[in-house]
Amino acid sequence: NSVSKEQAGLLVIVFVSLAFILIRLLMPIKFDGSYIDEYWHITSGISLLETGDYAYLYNHGRVYDRGALMSLWVGLWVTLFGKSILVAKLAPASIAIINYVLFLYLTTRLVAKRRFQILLLALYTLSPWVIFNHFYIRFYITNELFLLILLVLGYQLYEALRDSNWKGVLQYLSMVILLNILSMFAIRDQSEYMLLLASGVMLAGLFIYEFNPDVKHENRLTSIVFRNVLLSNEVYRAFIVLVVAIIGSIVMDSSSKLDFLLHGAITYSSMPGFKYDWFFWEKNSLITVFFVFGVITFWWKSSGFERIILPVAGALFLVHYVSSDELQIIRGILYFMPLY
């Protein structure tokens, strides 16, 4: 009976996965129009492949290299398969499928019960906000890609730490650093520093996890050094808050880019009344309540990668939520939906 339930659960996950792929591939056929700002990436991508340089789309003669990876990717699609909006729309759809595979990987490892795995995958598949982000030819979907890759690498790093696999620790740590360097060339927008913030909080959490006296695994590197150091839960949790606060203050103070994320302005923003208060507390109030409660519960978790991932979600949410009104554009928060 348990085997049949497991098989039924796997079949439902396969069905949801097929539905995800079909929705992403059929969207460009059903809705054959386009947004004017999608042509920034299309034009710049074609120019990059034909001339070796991005298109000059600004009045002052500067090339459009914002979201460079998206421009390159959509340029490859229209160059190889034909210069049409339908083909161009398949570029973000293909990235969406990669994102789903990463999301599926994380879901099946972080969520224990099959019915909740199915629920989470169904929400990701059917959410209109996620569907729009996967349909829209803009670099916000590559932001989602980088965030999901970071979380997968973080999970692998967590597993390597638990197994005292120090070769694996160095390998995945190097990959996290490389991912952040790559994002600076691939995104070329202030949002790349959100990945840096997420990486900093995640690595701080993993580092602190090694000092956690509640975690019982053999041959920890820190157990050799701190074998006789007894930290109470209260001291340990206070240490978490202190380290995250120090790292956050250093990053925020030393980076004018992150200062821009909080206080800057952009030319085209969401209309008044359609800011993050509206998005989180009016359109998605129930999920936001669960999200905030989930982030708070990390304080009581003694182990598991959830203890690492929840502060990452909370930090990103907080930075976006307190940012200036001009920066609160709905499309700019959609990369965050997998964590949300």
Side-chain angles (χ1 to χ4, degrees):
N1 186 34
S2 61
V3 172
S4 62
K5 286 184 178 180
E6 179 68 15
Q7 291 175 340
L10 289 174
L11 284 175
V12 174
I13 288 180
V14 170
F15 174 78
V16 173
S17 301
L18 291 175
F20 180 94
I21 295 172
L22 283 175
I23 291 172
R24 269 53 179 185
L25 295 181
L26 292 177
M27 279 288 293
I29 298 175
K30 174 65 175 177
F31 302 98
D32 56 359
S34 58
Y35 299 90
I36 188 170
D37 52 354
E38 291 179 303
Y39 290 94
W40 292 73
H41 286 301
I42 297 172
T43 305
S44 199
I46 293 174
S47 175
L48 180 63
L49 293 175
E50 291 182 350
T51 68
D53 202 357
Y54 298 98
Y56 287 85
L57 299 176
Y58 290 103
N59 292 331
H60 52 278
R62 186 165 62 87
V63 298
Y64 185 79
D65 59 357
R66 190 179 178 209
L69 178 60
M70 189 70 241
S71 296
L72 176 61
W73 187 240
V74 73
L76 283 171
W77 271 84
V78 297
T79 300
L80 294 175
F81 304 109
K83 295 179 180 179
S84 69
I85 292 298
L86 174 60
V87 172
K89 287 287 189 180
L90 293 176
S94 61
I95 297 177
I97 294 173
I98 297 173
N99 289 358
Y100 180 84
V101 173
L102 297 170
F103 188 71
L104 176 63
Y105 176 88
L106 290 167
T107 299
T108 53
R109 283 155 179 80
L110 298 180
V111 181
K113 295 185 178 180
R114 185 70 74 188
R115 61 180 179 272
F116 291 134
Q117 294 176 3
I118 294 171
L119 175 62
L120 192 55
L121 293 170
L123 285 172
Y124 186 64
T125 297
L126 300 175
S127 168
W129 304 105
V130 179
I131 292 174
F132 172 74
N133 194 39
H134 294 169
F135 172 75
Y136 187 41
I137 308 175
R138 293 291 279 162
F139 63 92
Y140 305 109
I141 190 173
T142 58
N143 291 355
E144 179 184 310
L145 173 65
F146 276 96
L147 178 62
L148 287 170
I149 292 175
L150 174 68
L151 297 178
V152 169
L153 291 176
Y155 179 80
Q156 292 296 329
L157 183 55
Y158 165 79
E159 289 290 301
L161 282 169
R162 288 196 63 187
D163 298 335
S164 297
N165 177 8
W166 305 115
K167 180 179 179 181
V169 169
L170 292 176
Q171 175 186 342
Y172 291 116
L173 181 59
S174 300
M175 292 173 71
V176 168
I177 296 172
L178 180 62
L179 180 71
N180 278 272
I181 295 173
L182 179 61
S183 72
M184 295 180 184
F185 294 96
I187 298 176
R188 299 192 181 186
D189 177 78
Q190 285 78 11
S191 58
E192 72 196 31
Y193 286 85
M194 299 306 294
L195 184 72
L196 181 63
L197 175 64
S199 301
V201 175
M202 185 187 75
L203 292 177
L206 286 168
F207 178 75
I208 297 168
Y209 157 82
E210 274 294 285
F211 289 82
N212 187 357
D214 295 333
V215 177
K216 312 295 185 193
H217 60 278
E218 298 298 326
N219 299 320
R220 293 187 303 149
L221 180 63
T222 51
S223 69
I224 299 173
V225 181
F226 297 95
R227 183 172 298 155
N228 298 317
V229 176
L230 299 177
L231 297 176
S232 67
N233 284 338
E234 291 73 18
V235 173
Y236 171 67
R237 289 166 182 167
F239 187 54
I240 290 179
V241 176
L242 179 62
V243 170
V244 171
I246 292 174
I247 292 177
S249 63
I250 292 174
V251 172
M252 299 292 280
D253 289 340
S254 63
S255 173
S256 60
K257 298 296 185 181
L258 275 175
D259 182 67
F260 174 88
L261 284 174
L262 292 175
H263 309 295
I266 55 177
T267 304
Y268 302 103
S269 182
S270 298
M271 293 183 294
F274 293 92
K275 302 299 183 179
Y276 292 159
D277 276 332
W278 172 83
F279 181 80
F280 288 115
W281 296 109
E282 293 187 34
K283 296 299 292 182
N284 302 285
S285 57
L286 181 61
I287 299 179
T288 301
V289 169
F290 282 117
F291 170 81
V292 172
F293 178 76
V295 170
I296 294 174
T297 60
F298 99 94
W299 192 263
W300 291 276
K301 290 184 177 294
S302 60
S303 63
F305 188 64
E306 297 90 341
R307 189 169 198 169
I308 311 301
I309 203 174
L310 289 174
V312 173
L316 291 176
F317 174 82
L318 182 62
V319 170
H320 280 295
Y321 194 74
V322 301
S323 61
S324 63
D325 284 348
E326 291 79 6
L327 292 176
Q328 293 191 17
I329 52 176
I330 301 303
R331 61 185 182 272
I333 197 70
L334 296 183
Y335 83 97
F336 181 66
M337 293 302 285
L339 267 180
Y340 177 66

